[in-house]
Amino acid sequence: MSVLESSTKAKQVSTSMYPLIDTHTHFDAPVFDNDREQQVQSAYRQGIRHLILVGYLSQHFERMYDTKQLIDKLSKHFGIDTDENNESDFYTHIALGLHPFYIEQHTDAHLIELAQMVANSRPLAIGEIGLDTFTDAMKEPDVFDKQKRFFGAQLDIAVTHQLPVMLHIRKAHAEALAILKTHEYDAHTLGGIAHSFSGGEQEAKAFVKLGFKLGVTGQVTNPNAKKLRRAIQAAVDIYGIECLVIETDCPDMTPIMCQNSNSQHPAVGQSPDNEWEAVHTHDRNVPANLPWVLWTLSELLGVSQDKLAKQLWQNSCDALKVNWAYPT
Ligand SMILES: [Zn+2]
């Protein structure tokens, strides 16, 4: 699709606005430092009402809280009232966790720090946590064992504090399912999201059966993402649209309609040294792109955007064990 076509489409999607929850972002990443206020404004104009900052390295936990504070302040500054009673609010939330892709950087002290922070300032969720064997280095037994240990320990923190988890599982679905079963994490009770779901039909059904929602990113906007589309369809055929939530995972996973260059930026956690700093501004994903995920799912599943948006809102609340009012 040409830039011209995509910008025309972008205009079309902005004419109808549906309230949305961006269930997974890294909006605290430095790649947003120069225009965060502008991006919050356009996200708001595109219907985003709640945005979740998801943790990956303990060294950035403080930055996430700073970012939340800044957005809360910005929201007031440009007239978005953060008063609890105002239904037009823009809220930012925090999930804390140690991402499996960065396993070599995590230490036991980070786990202890995480447990203390969760006890002291109860975040919305624990995440992102899980298993990732995307590269050969991650498959090395000692590395993978450490991933499993940190995954289990963080599931235990979630159970202790009765919090939902945000799962990051890549090329390790069977192992992740096995660990979930051996810990006392019950997603039917605690909620939880299989973020940026990338497995096949069987895995999709298995996670939903356990009580997780499948987090759908801009990847679904790519017509070539056939395996992903089939997996979503298969889960929906059995469990209905109740099993889905949507997310940008920004600055990654830019919807195909919003990609302005042919260069491919790294997928989630693929650049541990850069931590997204290498993502160029023109290629990065932003929260305001979330309606494209809604639009694509609506087309794919044959459900109106209006109906889907309402259900996705409810699904997000169910997955996160919150009761946020749907703006009318
Ligand atoms: Zn993420």
Side-chain angles (χ1 to χ4, degrees):
M1 184 181 290
S2 73
V3 174
L4 187 66
E5 277 171 317
S6 65
S7 65
T8 310
K9 282 215 151 202
K11 273 182 199 144
Q12 283 168 359
V13 90
S14 68
T15 56
S16 40
M17 193 269 278
Y18 303 96
L20 299 173
I21 298 171
D22 194 344
T23 60
H24 193 112
T25 79
H26 301 286
F27 196 52
D28 57 312
V31 70
F32 298 111
D33 283 354
N34 291 336
D35 65 345
R36 198 169 271 107
E37 175 170 6
Q38 201 187 319
Q39 290 304 331
V40 173
Q41 287 186 4
S42 37
Y44 186 77
R45 280 198 299 273
Q46 293 296 327
I48 318 306
R49 293 296 176 265
H50 292 266
L51 173 149
I52 301 165
L53 299 170
V54 182
Y56 58 103
L57 275 169
S58 78
Q59 72 200 67
H60 297 320
F61 289 168
E62 210 179 300
R63 185 178 81 191
M64 293 166 63
Y65 281 94
D66 290 347
T67 304
K68 173 181 158 42
Q69 215 173 28
L70 179 83
I71 299 174
D72 289 348
K73 224 185 276 172
L74 288 177
S75 307
K76 279 194 178 129
H77 178 66
F78 61 73
I80 300 172
D81 192 351
T82 49
D83 181 326
E84 289 279 343
N85 301 318
N86 188 321
E87 62 192 14
S88 324
D89 291 341
F90 185 96
Y91 294 105
T92 309
H93 312 270
I94 286 176
L96 293 178
L98 304 171
H99 192 305
F101 192 83
Y102 304 100
I103 194 66
E104 293 189 61
Q105 298 180 57
H106 305 322
T107 65
D108 285 340
H110 294 154
L111 266 184
I112 294 167
E113 183 201 1
L114 173 68
Q116 280 169 349
M117 283 186 79
V118 172
N120 293 339
S121 63
R122 190 174 175 84
L124 181 68
I126 302 296
E128 52 195 293
I129 65 171
L131 302 173
D132 189 328
T133 62
F134 190 70
T135 67
D136 286 341
M138 320 291 289
K139 291 179 197 146
E140 291 294 325
D142 55 332
V143 177
F144 195 48
D145 283 349
K146 189 177 170 191
Q147 280 195 5
K148 289 187 199 165
R149 186 164 70 81
F150 273 66
F151 182 30
Q154 294 181 92
L155 281 175
D156 291 343
I157 294 174
V159 172
T160 302
H161 296 278
Q162 296 287 287
L163 285 168
V165 295
M166 307 263 191
L167 297 179
H168 169 103
I169 313 290
R170 195 162 49 162
K171 294 194 182 289
H173 289 86
E175 295 87 342
L177 287 167
I179 291 177
L180 283 165
K181 280 175 185 158
T182 58
H183 286 260
E184 284 172 34
Y185 187 89
D186 178 9
H188 290 290
T189 313
L190 296 180
I193 295 170
H195 134 76
S196 186
F197 184 77
S198 61
E201 293 179 36
Q202 295 313 317
E203 289 100 349
K205 288 188 265 187
F207 278 104
V208 177
K209 197 175 172 196
L210 282 179
F212 290 96
K213 307 290 184 201
L214 304 176
V216 182
T217 68
Q219 272 183 315
V220 77
T221 63
N222 186 340
N224 295 326
K226 294 199 173 76
K227 180 184 151 201
L228 173 66
R229 288 172 164 224
R230 271 199 305 270
I232 292 169
Q233 187 76 63
V236 168
D237 284 348
I238 296 178
Y239 298 100
I241 55 174
E242 286 77 6
C243 71
L244 305 176
V245 297
I246 57 173
E247 58 173 280
T248 56
D249 198 18
C250 66
D252 283 332
M253 307 298 180
T254 308
I256 204 156
M257 308 78 172
C258 311
Q259 291 175 11
N260 291 323
S261 76
N262 295 323
S263 64
Q264 285 296 310
H265 58 76
V268 185
Q270 217 172 315
S271 52
D273 299 328
N274 298 327
E275 291 173 31
W276 296 297
E277 266 116 79
V279 177
H280 297 297
T281 306
H282 62 279
D283 276 340
R284 73 186 171 163
N285 196 7
V286 295
N289 290 341
L290 190 60
W292 285 111
V293 181
L294 173 77
W295 182 83
T296 306
L297 277 180
S298 162
E299 299 275 305
L300 182 69
L301 303 171
V303 180
S304 73
Q305 289 193 73
D306 180 45
K307 184 179 172 195
L308 191 56
K310 281 194 186 109
Q311 189 61 52
L312 289 169
W313 184 283
Q314 186 56 49
N315 298 349
S316 306
C317 290
D318 292 346
L320 298 165
K321 298 291 154 195
V322 291
N323 198 10
W324 297 332
Y326 188 76
T328 47

